[in-house]
Amino acid sequence: MSQEDQPKRPQEPVKYGDVFEVSGELADKPIAPEDANMMQAAETRVFGHTQKGGAAAVMQSAATANKRGGFVQPGDTTDLAAERGVTVAQTDVPGARVTTEFVGGQVVGQYVEPRPVATAAATEAEAVGLSLQSAITIGEALEATVQTAGNKPVDQSDAAAIQAAEVRASGTNVIAPGGIAASAQSAANHNATVDRDEDKIKLIDVLAGATGKLTADKAVTRQDAEGVVGAELRNNPNLSTHPGGVSASITAAARLNERADI
C-alpha cells in the first residue's frame, strides 16, 4: 500500500465538547478509554446493561477513535473524571423516573421513564382524607433539578427560568420577596462577581425544597414549559438550555403529564 493509500489519522482528538453539551475545562478534554469503561460500568450497575446510543456507547466510540489517532493510550483517564467521578443517578418523581449520567460533575445524558402512580399510595392518601395528585407540579419539577443539575452554579439564564416557573405557579407577575425567584436572581448576581465555581451559589442551594417555598403550585403544562424554556434561552449567551437544568426538568414534567392525560 502506498503512503497516499494509507488512511490518514485524525488531526484532532474527539473531545467531550464535541459530543456532549458540556462546558468549561471538561469540554476541551479528549475522551479517554478509562472514562468510557467507568461509564459502561455505571450504566451496567443501574440498567443491567449499557444503553444503546447512550453516553457509554458514545464515549467508547470516541475513546477508540482517540486511541487509533494516538491521542490517548489504553488505561488513560481524564483528570476531571478521576477526581469528580463518572456516575449514573436515578431520581423518582411522581409519574416518572429520571436517570442522569454525569462525567466530572456535568450532565452528559438523561433518560425519563414514565411510571404509573402506585395504587397503594392513592389508597393510603384517600384513607387519611387527601387527594393524591398524580400530575407533576412545577415545584416538584424544580426539586427534580436538584438531582440532575444541583451542583451547577446559578447564572442569569437559570434565574430567568426559575422566575418564569414561579410566575406560572403563582398565576401572578409578582415576585415574592424571599422566594425562589428572588433567591435565584441574588445568587446569579453574586456568582457574576466570583471567579471560582466552588465559591459560587449552586442550584441545590436555591431549589432544595422548592415546593414548600412557592406561594402556590400547579401541574406543569406544555405552555408552562414553553415559557420557562423561552426565558432560559433568552438569557443564555449561547441561546441554549442546560442539559438536566431547570428547563429540561419542567419540559420533562410537562411531557409526562401530557402522556398521562392529566
Side-chain angles (χ1 to χ4, degrees):
M1 179 184 295
S2 69
Q3 188 172 357
E4 291 183 356
D5 293 333
Q6 293 178 357
K8 294 183 179 179
R9 285 188 173 186
Q11 298 299 309
E12 295 285 342
V14 181
K15 302 173 184 177
Y16 277 97
D18 296 330
V19 292
F20 298 119
E21 290 188 42
V22 295
S23 59
E25 190 179 350
L26 181 64
D28 294 325
K29 295 288 185 181
I31 298 177
E34 280 305 304
D35 299 4
N37 290 340
M38 286 190 284
M39 183 58 80
Q40 282 187 328
E43 284 191 2
T44 300
R45 280 194 299 271
V46 172
F47 300 113
H49 54 81
T50 56
Q51 291 289 94
K52 184 178 180 180
V58 172
M59 291 170 66
Q60 192 64 56
S61 177
T64 298
N66 287 343
K67 281 192 294 184
R68 289 174 178 167
F71 301 111
V72 297
Q73 300 299 318
D76 281 358
T77 307
T78 303
D79 52 359
L80 288 175
E83 293 167 7
R84 302 181 188 177
V86 175
T87 58
V88 177
Q90 289 189 317
T91 305
D92 288 328
V93 298
R97 170 170 288 172
V98 181
T99 303
T100 309
E101 299 179 302
F102 301 88
V103 173
Q106 295 198 48
V107 176
V108 296
Q110 189 174 64
Y111 314 93
V112 179
E113 174 190 358
R115 302 177 70 199
V117 177
T119 303
T123 303
E124 181 180 349
E126 184 178 357
V128 294
L130 297 175
S131 175
L132 181 65
Q133 184 184 27
S134 57
I136 304 170
T137 67
I138 289 175
E140 289 167 338
L142 290 174
E143 288 181 1
T145 309
V146 172
Q147 303 298 322
T148 56
N151 291 324
K152 180 186 182 297
V154 181
D155 61 23
Q156 189 57 49
S157 67
D158 299 317
I162 292 168
Q163 178 178 327
E166 183 182 274
V167 164
R168 288 182 170 274
S170 67
T172 72
N173 289 322
V174 178
I175 303 303
I180 58 172
S183 297
Q185 187 59 62
S186 177
N189 293 342
H190 167 80
N191 289 348
T193 67
V194 177
D195 292 329
R196 301 196 313 165
D197 280 357
E198 52 264 42
D199 296 329
K200 295 182 179 181
I201 301 170
K202 310 297 195 300
L203 282 174
I204 188 173
D205 301 318
V206 174
L207 295 179
T211 301
K213 297 175 183 177
L214 291 171
T215 57
D217 205 357
K218 65 183 286 290
V220 185
T221 66
R222 181 189 299 181
Q223 290 73 28
D224 296 329
E226 290 173 352
V228 173
V229 169
E232 186 169 331
L233 285 172
R234 287 192 300 272
N235 289 273
N236 187 314
N238 297 321
L239 294 177
S240 63
T241 59
H242 183 76
V246 176
S247 291
S249 293
I250 295 289
T251 300
R255 185 166 59 245
L256 289 167
N257 285 349
E258 280 196 342
R259 287 178 182 171
D261 195 26
I262 295 170

